[in-house]
Amino acid sequence: MSEGEKVVKLLGAWPSPFVMRPRIALNIKSASYEFLEETLGSKSQLLLQSNPVHKKIPVLIHGDKPVCESLIIVEYVDQVFSSGPSILPSDPYDRSVARFWAAYLDDKWFPAMKAIAGAKGDEEGKALIQQLGEGLALMESAYHNISKGKPFFGGDRVGYLDIAFGCFLGWLRVTESHIGLKLLDQTKTPGLAQWAETFCADDAVKPVMPETDKLSEFAKLLMAKTASN
Amino acid sequence: MDEVKLLGFWASPFVHRVIWALKLKGVKYEYSEEDLTNKSELLLKSNPVHEKVPVLIHGDKAISESSVILEYIEQVWPQNPLFPKDAYERALSRFWINFASDVGMIFRSFYLSKEENREKSRREVIQVLQIVEEQALKDKNFFGGDNIGMLDIIYGSIPHWFEALEESVGVKVIDPNALPRLYAWAQRFKQIPVINHDLPPYQDLLLHMKRVRQRLISQPPNSSA
């Protein structure tokens, strides 16, 4: 059976930015897949079997083989569905730049954003907001250097770094309304403001980008649940 | 042919990952030792975001973060491949590369553990390494199979560095009883000429780890060391 014929399943949940990543990748490749939604608070047998080490979503199951970790899945999809448009840049240096920033976002930037909700007191909250703002300034500069006048980090089309960063836009909007401060906007990050609009309107992204108010409601639910645990 | 330069620090296992990859592929490079207490202009310019080693400079391009550098090396110098060709196997390799970061955090906890937490921390190290042994190494000679591959390089900090770490803490963790296959692999790995010729001298490494440990445990908590 050819790669393109094997059944693709994706274990995930609609609010998760990490789950968005492989969904965008699969959309770029026009690959059909079955989306298996995990319920908050419980993990399916299939998830526990497919990702026994971390028990986390997303997990892509291709045929009978599970692939874990969002960016690893994106690279896998890019390699396997080779007939669709490329997601990773072809030039090794451009590829390394994309990977560098994706690692920065996952290791430093997003953890700071997550921590804001649970920040104990003003001092900690302020420091985290500053870190977030500084990170966005770095990304604004990176965007200018990498896109070279084109709409996306990936050039004319949505690419690896667009996916890696763009998946956080929904939660960034939720965070901004929570703290009452815009961090990504026309004045502070004009390049990114335009990019965000173009990204969210893209055909591969629109169907899987959750609406900010739905995410806000979900965030409230999550906070209530965490508080009661 | 563009020149290749590596900014490094003699005691860093992350720098050694890059050295091993370059050597295994026969890539000629110039090594530049950084004084991390007095970082060079070149380092600060090449890695302004993190100001850390290793940094690979290829021609006029600077690449930072060891795992990113390794992927770059693999793509630019495809001879003696370190990654499997198959997309699924490659995805698995990447999974275990990411897992090494989790292992690293647990190592660090153990390194900085106070006496009252030490036993718990020691057990956490064994638990996480058991996962590596059972699911990544299994019964192979090397993570890469019959020959070393990317995962051997990634976990290559265990044989030499973790030994020094154990000794600086004063508690042995990796032994033939708790982790037989990993222990055997560590001995095998150190014998490989490319690896062997480039390890930092053990006594120097031990002294360095003891010194760093002293400094870190006497610092207030939550400082970014």
Side-chain angles (χ1 to χ4, degrees):
Chain A
M1 192 184 266
S2 78
E3 291 302 335
E5 290 168 338
K6 286 195 244 169
V7 170
V8 180
K9 292 189 178 138
L10 184 71
L11 305 182
W14 68 267
S16 162
F18 301 103
V19 170
M20 259 187 81
R21 290 168 168 178
R23 297 186 83 181
I24 297 171
L26 289 163
N27 287 348
I28 289 172
K29 303 282 186 179
S30 305
S32 51
Y33 64 98
E34 192 187 339
F35 186 56
L36 299 170
E37 186 100 36
E38 290 284 320
T39 12
L40 178 67
S42 80
K43 293 176 197 231
S44 71
Q45 260 309 111
L46 187 57
L47 175 58
L48 298 175
Q49 262 173 264
S50 312
N51 190 357
V53 176
H54 299 299
K55 308 176 174 64
K56 281 184 169 172
I57 47 174
V59 179
L60 184 93
I61 305 178
H62 193 199
D64 57 352
K65 294 188 173 139
V67 182
C68 306
E69 317 255 297
S70 61
L71 293 176
I72 294 178
I73 299 172
V74 171
E75 294 220 30
Y76 175 81
V77 167
D78 198 31
Q79 200 182 337
V80 163
F81 295 91
S82 48
S83 57
S86 286
I87 297 173
L88 274 285
S90 49
D91 174 73
Y93 177 66
D94 293 342
R95 203 176 270 208
S96 74
V97 171
R99 285 195 175 114
F100 174 87
W101 288 112
Y104 168 77
L105 290 165
D106 281 2
D107 297 341
K108 304 261 188 284
W109 191 77
F110 183 65
M113 179 153 79
K114 267 211 305 189
I116 286 175
K120 299 170 189 68
D122 261 350
E123 283 302 314
E124 196 187 339
K126 274 202 192 112
L128 290 167
I129 293 169
Q130 193 179 337
Q131 202 184 329
L132 225 58
E134 282 167 358
L136 285 172
L138 284 175
M139 293 309 296
E140 173 79 7
S141 167
Y143 173 70
H144 284 289
N145 291 335
I146 296 168
S147 65
K148 299 192 185 59
K150 301 235 168 121
F152 298 107
F153 286 92
D156 292 311
R157 270 197 287 260
V158 167
Y160 181 83
L161 186 52
D162 300 280
I163 295 174
F165 186 26
C167 67
F168 293 127
L169 288 169
W171 281 102
L172 179 60
R173 295 302 178 216
V174 170
T175 305
E176 284 172 334
S177 78
H178 176 74
I179 62 179
L181 181 66
K182 279 235 162 256
L183 294 168
L184 191 158
D185 69 6
Q186 263 311 117
T187 37
K188 294 188 179 128
T189 57
L192 289 182
Q194 181 58 58
W195 164 81
E197 239 178 90
T198 318
F199 177 78
C200 292
D202 189 87
D203 283 335
V205 176
K206 210 146 130 216
V208 298
M209 175 68 84
E211 289 160 34
T212 309
D213 9 341
K214 282 218 178 107
L215 271 185
S216 281
E217 269 175 51
F218 177 81
K220 289 194 189 107
L221 197 75
L222 201 64
M223 299 231 18
K225 202 173 189 294
T226 320
S228 67
N229 278 352
Chain B
M1 262 275 259
D2 275 340
E3 281 187 5
V4 181
K5 191 174 188 157
L6 176 64
L7 307 183
F9 177 62
W10 68 275
S12 162
F14 301 100
V15 169
H16 279 80
R17 288 175 175 179
V18 178
I19 291 174
W20 294 331
L22 290 169
K23 289 227 155 117
L24 286 166
K25 288 178 180 272
V27 178
K28 289 207 161 39
Y29 67 98
E30 182 199 327
Y31 178 78
S32 178
E33 178 73 18
E34 283 286 328
D35 173 1
L36 297 180
T37 62
N38 184 18
K39 295 174 183 176
S40 72
E41 270 305 307
L42 184 58
L43 173 58
L44 298 175
K45 197 182 63 161
S46 311
N47 189 2
V49 176
H50 303 298
E51 298 181 352
K52 281 182 167 177
V53 291
V55 177
L56 189 80
I57 302 176
H58 188 200
D60 59 350
K61 301 176 176 132
I63 302 117
S64 310
E65 300 280 289
S66 65
S67 53
V68 176
I69 296 172
L70 291 172
E71 296 258 12
Y72 177 83
I73 290 173
E74 178 77 348
Q75 198 187 350
V76 173
W77 294 284
Q79 66 271 23
N80 199 5
L82 298 168
F83 265 131
K85 265 210 180 74
D86 175 69
Y88 179 69
E89 294 296 323
R90 197 172 268 237
L92 274 183
S93 286
R94 289 190 172 123
F95 176 89
W96 291 109
I97 291 175
N98 284 0
F99 193 73
S101 304
D102 298 338
V103 174
M105 286 200 290
I106 293 175
F107 279 6
R108 191 179 165 85
S109 283
F110 173 71
Y111 184 47
L112 301 177
S113 61
K114 297 201 174 84
E115 270 227 56
E116 59 262 29
N117 294 329
R118 194 147 306 137
E119 181 51 31
K120 176 171 183 273
S121 203
R122 190 189 71 88
R123 266 184 273 127
E124 277 169 7
V125 171
I126 294 188
Q127 259 182 322
V128 81
L129 289 178
Q130 273 171 345
I131 294 174
V132 173
E133 190 187 63
E134 277 160 35
Q135 299 190 37
L137 179 61
K138 301 188 204 179
D139 292 312
K140 297 172 285 171
N141 271 342
F142 297 105
F143 286 89
D146 291 321
N147 296 306
I148 63 172
M150 199 56 92
L151 289 180
D152 297 274
I153 290 177
I154 292 288
Y155 286 96
S157 62
I158 297 174
H160 201 60
W161 279 265
F162 192 72
E163 281 172 30
L165 191 155
E166 287 173 322
E167 210 179 319
S168 70
V169 173
V171 174
K172 195 95 184 87
V173 183
I174 301 182
D175 67 26
N177 294 315
L179 296 153
R181 288 175 287 182
L182 200 64
Y183 182 83
W185 165 80
Q187 311 319 305
R188 231 175 274 133
F189 183 74
K190 280 194 288 189
Q191 297 314 315
I192 295 172
V194 163
I195 308 300
N196 204 281
H197 293 160
D198 256 287
L199 292 174
Y202 186 76
Q203 289 305 322
D204 294 346
L205 187 61
L206 179 60
L207 207 65
H208 171 77
M209 299 215 73
K210 282 184 170 163
R211 227 182 280 132
V212 171
R213 183 168 176 270
Q214 266 314 114
R215 175 169 57 88
L216 291 176
I217 58 183
S218 60
Q219 259 175 7
N222 293 331
S223 54
S224 53

